[in-house]
């Protein structure tokens, strides 16, 4: 874990960790189940959907992850992996695909991620608004970098985003009544 953390902190490709350790990459597919998710992930997606937002999940994941995430309880408007799209973050083509799938102008999209290099900076370059979540190994290490302040929103949890969405919906309802 220390080697992985050092690679992340230095901005290196974490997939090289196996070579640095001198061991074979584990064979087989990793299964994603509900127990693997952050406890506030599903409730955040539900809150966004209840607010009438288009919700999408797209990331650098292997083929087949879409079915696993749906089985774990995710039901977004679109769900895609880099393997299915044939393009991965941080390439501009990946973020152009997010915009196309969302069917919205880039400025109307809030891209949420825990990495500056793969999420916040390229999404911002694509014209999207960004939310940086200080969570997981990248989130905690990247939170210390000056670029973290370039995110439109900085969060510690997805529950913080859910709370903001619900508060915004309540304020909107009060303003229209």
């Amino acid at each position: 874990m220390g080697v992985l953390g050092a690679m992340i902190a230095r901005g290196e490709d974490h997939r090289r960790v196996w070579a640095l350790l001198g061991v074979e990459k584990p064979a087989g597919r990793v299964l994603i189940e509900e127990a693997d998710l952050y406890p506030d992930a599903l409730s955040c997606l539900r809150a966004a959907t209840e607010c009438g937002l288009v919700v999408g999940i797209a990331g650098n994941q292997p083929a087949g992850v879409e079915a696993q995430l749906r089985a774990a309880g995710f039901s977004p408007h679109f769900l895609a992996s880099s393997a299915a799209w044939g393009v991965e973050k941080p390439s501009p083509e990946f973020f152009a695909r997010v915009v196309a799938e969302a069917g919205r102008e880039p400025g109307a999209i809030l891209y949420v991620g825990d990495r500056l290099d793969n999420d916040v900076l390229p999404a911002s370059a694509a014209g999207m608004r960004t939310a940086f979540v200080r969570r997981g190994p990248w989130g905690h290490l990247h939170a210390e970098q000056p670029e973290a302040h370039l995110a439109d929103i900085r969060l510690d949890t997805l529950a913080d985003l859910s709370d903001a969405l619900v508060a915004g919906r309540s304020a909107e309802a009060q303003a229209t009544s």
Side-chain angles (χ1 to χ4, degrees), residues 29-82:
R29 270 179 31 166
V30 175
L31 292 177
I32 299 172
E33 300 172 333
E34 187 174 352
D36 297 320
L37 307 175
Y38 288 122
D40 53 357
L42 291 171
S43 61
C44 182
L45 292 176
R46 278 192 294 275
T49 301
E50 289 169 5
C51 287
L53 302 174
V54 172
V55 176
I57 300 172
N60 288 350
Q61 296 291 331
V65 74
E66 298 89 348
Q68 292 178 38
L69 288 173
R70 288 193 193 286
F74 287 98
S75 57
H77 294 90
F78 69 90
L79 178 56
S81 66
S82 55

Side-chain angles (χ1 to χ4, degrees), residues 2 15 20 25 30 51 75 86 88 94 98 100 112 126 130 148 162 170 177:
R15 294 171 289 200
L20 286 174
K25 180 180 176 180
V30 175
C51 287
S75 57
E88 64 182 32
F94 180 92
V98 169
V112 181
T130 59
S162 297
S170 296
S177 58

Side-chain angles (χ1 to χ4, degrees), residues 78-169:
F78 69 90
L79 178 56
S81 66
S82 55
W85 281 353
V87 62
E88 64 182 32
K89 301 183 291 184
S91 77
E93 294 81 14
F94 180 92
F95 292 92
R97 188 73 187 261
V98 169
V99 171
E101 292 290 329
R104 302 288 190 268
E105 292 296 317
I109 297 171
L110 177 66
Y111 191 91
V112 181
D114 63 353
R115 289 182 65 169
L116 296 173
D117 59 342
N118 261 17
D119 298 318
V120 172
L121 299 177
S124 182
M128 296 179 211
R129 297 193 60 214
T130 59
F132 173 68
V133 183
R134 187 181 65 115
R135 191 176 245 176
W138 281 273
H140 285 278
L141 289 169
H142 285 194
E144 303 301 319
Q145 296 180 11
E147 294 90 349
H149 295 287
L150 296 175
D152 295 297
I153 302 169
R154 286 169 298 285
L155 307 163
D156 286 326
T157 68
L158 293 171
D160 294 341
L161 181 56
S162 297
D163 293 345
L165 291 170
V166 170
R169 191 170 77 185

